[in-house]
Amino acid sequence: MNDLDQRIIGSFDALKAPESAKASALAHIEAVRHANQTSEGSGASQLPTNRTAAPERAASNRRHPQRARRWAAAIAACLILACVGAFGYNTYTSPTAFVGLDINPSIEFSINRFERVVAVKPLNDDGRTLLEGCPSLTGMPYEDALDSVLSCEGFQAYAAEDALVAVDVVSDDEVQATQLMAQSQQQLASLPCQTQCHRTDEATRESAHHAGMGMGRYRAAQELMEADSSYTLEKCASMSMHQIKDACAAAHGSSADTADAADTTNVNDAEDAAASGPGRHRRHGQGHHS
């Protein structure tokens, strides 16, 4: 193996791309190199027919391996760029976190490792209408995308003082989850209504989607069904977050204001008890009932 071959293979060892792509590229280069060697051997076995042609053929044979190596290097460079490009694209478009927003509209952001929005999905009809009235959010930093949604006219129609907005963050990356929680709380603090921000796990997200709900609405529905067995997931799916909260308060035999105070205490206790992982709860932007 010559020095050029070693450099080509070394470049693939350092490449952060799927092993299948690197193996395919190396196999192609090896096939080209083998074909060139076979061609060289075939040309060398043929004796010259005259003395004048012999020096010309010898010079041609000396130049042929050099051309082959240059072609192999060019092919390797192109394949490396293709692998890097494909890997980079997949990395950018692959979500590493999900953030759900529930008020009455329910939507979900898919966030990549760079905290950019790669997709936004409506989870109910009101969510679909809300997104139709917002600018395109794909490619925006999450913080800017959330601010854009909270500021749009379609969302403001729901954000009255007695409303409840829930944001749920799902991510296996502790650093990213903490950052998304902080950004969400900062944006929610500006709202006039009551807000909640939770760290949720993937199992809850999947169960919520199976029920046709956002994560916040699903958690609130579970709490209501525990307090009053006459409620079902189907019924809760058609209720706003504020309606679910009021029904839960009524089931516990207390007013909505009393329930809010109790909920705030529980959230603060959860912050002191849990530093990370699913189940961490916070509330910012606490509003007042009229």
Side-chain angles (χ1 to χ4, degrees):
M1 183 182 298
N2 60 35
D3 181 63
L4 178 60
D5 293 334
Q6 292 177 346
R7 291 201 304 270
I8 292 173
I9 292 175
S11 67
F12 274 89
D13 289 337
L15 178 63
K16 302 299 183 181
E19 291 300 325
S20 59
K22 293 196 288 185
S24 176
L26 285 173
H28 183 77
I29 294 172
E30 183 63 24
V32 171
R33 191 165 65 89
H34 179 73
N36 289 332
Q37 290 175 345
T38 302
S39 176
E40 293 171 21
S42 175
S45 64
Q46 296 177 359
L47 296 176
T49 57
N50 57 68
R51 294 183 179 180
T52 303
E56 296 178 358
R57 292 188 178 182
S60 176
N61 288 337
R62 286 194 301 270
R63 291 193 299 270
H64 188 72
Q66 296 176 357
R67 289 198 301 270
R69 292 192 182 97
R70 286 197 295 269
W71 275 106
I75 292 172
C78 291
L79 289 172
I80 290 172
L81 290 175
C83 290
V84 171
F87 180 71
Y89 178 79
N90 289 335
T91 299
Y92 186 88
T93 58
S94 298
T96 56
F98 301 93
V99 180
L101 174 68
D102 289 279
I103 177 168
N104 195 43
S106 293
I107 63 175
E108 183 179 88
F109 300 91
S110 296
I111 314 295
N112 67 13
R113 67 178 65 254
F114 309 109
E115 294 179 13
R116 295 270 176 171
V117 176
V118 294
V120 187
K121 178 181 179 181
L123 301 179
N124 59 9
D125 290 339
D126 286 340
R128 186 172 296 104
T129 301
L130 172 63
L131 291 179
E132 289 174 353
C134 293
S136 176
L137 305 174
T138 303
M140 295 178 62
Y142 165 69
E143 188 173 17
D144 294 343
L146 179 59
D147 178 66
S148 180
V149 170
L150 299 183
S151 301
C152 75
E153 185 177 351
F155 180 87
Q156 292 296 323
Y158 293 97
E161 286 190 2
D162 60 351
L164 173 62
V165 182
V167 169
D168 289 75
V169 176
V170 176
S171 178
D172 293 333
D173 186 327
E174 292 294 329
V175 174
Q176 183 176 37
T178 300
Q179 181 69 12
L180 293 174
M181 289 279 289
Q183 292 175 351
S184 299
Q185 290 161 353
Q186 182 178 2
Q187 296 292 338
L188 294 178
S190 64
L191 297 177
C193 56
Q194 300 168 45
T195 64
Q196 295 176 347
C197 188
H198 296 262
R199 173 84 180 276
T200 310
D201 56 22
E202 181 60 29
T204 300
R205 175 176 174 267
E206 292 180 357
S207 297
H209 284 198
H210 184 72
M213 296 181 176
M215 292 177 279
R217 193 185 308 277
Y218 178 78
R219 284 187 299 94
Q222 291 289 326
E223 182 181 352
L224 176 55
M225 291 188 297
E226 288 179 5
D228 187 342
S229 60
S230 67
Y231 285 91
T232 64
L233 284 175
E234 291 77 14
K235 185 174 182 179
C236 291
S238 63
M239 300 169 65
S240 70
M241 292 293 292
H242 179 63
Q243 289 172 333
I244 295 176
K245 179 196 66 174
D246 285 350
C248 191
H252 286 296
S254 60
S255 67
D257 287 330
T258 303
D260 289 340
D263 183 49
T264 302
T265 301
N266 292 336
V267 169
N268 291 333
D269 290 342
E271 286 183 338
D272 295 335
S276 63
R280 178 171 55 188
H281 303 280
R282 293 185 178 181
R283 171 177 293 198
H284 275 245
Q286 181 72 30
H288 301 281
H289 289 289
S290 57

